[in-house]
Amino acid sequence: SPWSFLPVLLIFALIPAICIYIGTAHVGWEMFGSQNNHLLTQGSALTLAVLVYVGFVFGVGVMAQFIRWILFRTPGRPTLARAMAFVTFIALPLMIGGIAGAFPYRLVIVGTAFVTAIWAVLLLFKGLPIFMHLKNNDQTRFYGACIVAVGFLVLVTNAFIFQHMWRTTQTDASYVESQEEQSDLQDMRD
């Protein structure tokens, strides 16, 4: 069935969401020039995690539509379900790389993003000729380059939209300096 990818998408999109929650609410990170460990409140981290999950699923849907649009002149133009399955396959490295969100250290995040992006692009260029029943030629590489360019735009736009949605729901008390301060904040609310 062309919709058999859906459980894979919905389950694997949980990886970055759960890891972002753990990393921002329980592990914390250091800001440039500061030795203090910063955390998000649990409510703020949960909101961010939900938006990361929705952002991944939404991003796959948007990319599937763009792939259908980019490949509209090819003889084997994919259905929406096939395009979403293909995008899910390509996005799996990015979802698995979301494990790095549990360890919010700059080098870990940047290194993982670099490796998973290359992995995803390799999957795209290896899978596109098979997926579209095209010969591995300049035209296929052109379609692949178009998909990479649109994918980057969708990723950046998606990140800005969901980051803005997250920031508009937060107050000044969304950041805490330590887990002790987070516990004190929770005690004050109770």
Side-chain angles (χ1 to χ4, degrees):
S1 162
W3 291 100
S4 60
F5 73 92
L6 201 55
V8 173
L9 171 63
L10 297 177
I11 290 169
F12 275 83
L14 286 171
I15 293 171
I18 291 169
C19 291
I20 286 289
Y21 175 79
I22 292 168
T24 57
H26 299 288
V27 176
W29 68 94
E30 291 177 4
M31 300 288 208
F32 286 107
S34 171
Q35 297 297 326
N36 296 336
N37 197 32
H38 297 275
L39 298 163
L40 293 178
T41 60
Q42 290 189 7
S44 180
L46 182 61
T47 302
L48 181 60
V50 167
L51 289 172
V52 164
Y53 180 78
V54 171
F56 257 104
V57 174
F58 179 76
V60 166
V62 170
M63 275 306 299
Q65 291 289 355
F66 273 116
I67 284 179
R68 283 182 43 81
W69 178 72
I70 290 169
L71 302 173
F72 77 98
R73 290 189 184 213
T74 59
R77 182 180 185 200
T79 63
L80 180 60
R82 285 192 68 228
M84 286 187 73
F86 186 61
V87 174
T88 299
F89 169 71
I90 294 168
L92 276 176
L94 301 174
M95 293 181 207
I96 293 168
I99 293 170
F103 312 100
Y105 304 107
R106 283 178 225 110
L107 288 177
V108 172
I109 299 290
V110 170
T112 304
F114 180 74
V115 168
T116 57
I118 289 175
W119 184 9
V121 169
L122 287 174
L123 286 176
L124 169 68
F125 281 97
K126 288 287 188 186
L128 190 60
I130 297 164
F131 171 66
M132 289 305 302
H133 309 289
L134 298 169
K135 293 180 180 147
N136 198 2
N137 59 21
D138 288 339
Q139 186 179 22
T140 305
R141 286 188 286 280
F142 173 74
Y143 288 138
C146 289
I147 291 169
V148 168
V150 169
F152 181 72
L153 290 174
V154 168
L155 176 72
V156 170
T157 304
N158 209 11
F160 279 122
I161 289 170
F162 284 95
Q163 187 269 346
H164 179 71
M165 289 170 64
W166 173 68
R167 289 297 294 160
T168 58
T169 64
Q170 304 309 305
T171 64
D172 291 337
S174 296
Y175 291 96
V176 290
E177 294 291 327
S178 66
Q179 289 186 342
E180 292 82 28
E181 189 178 324
Q182 190 171 44
S183 297
D184 294 343
L185 188 61
Q186 188 66 31
D187 291 340
M188 288 188 331
R189 289 185 182 150
D190 294 337

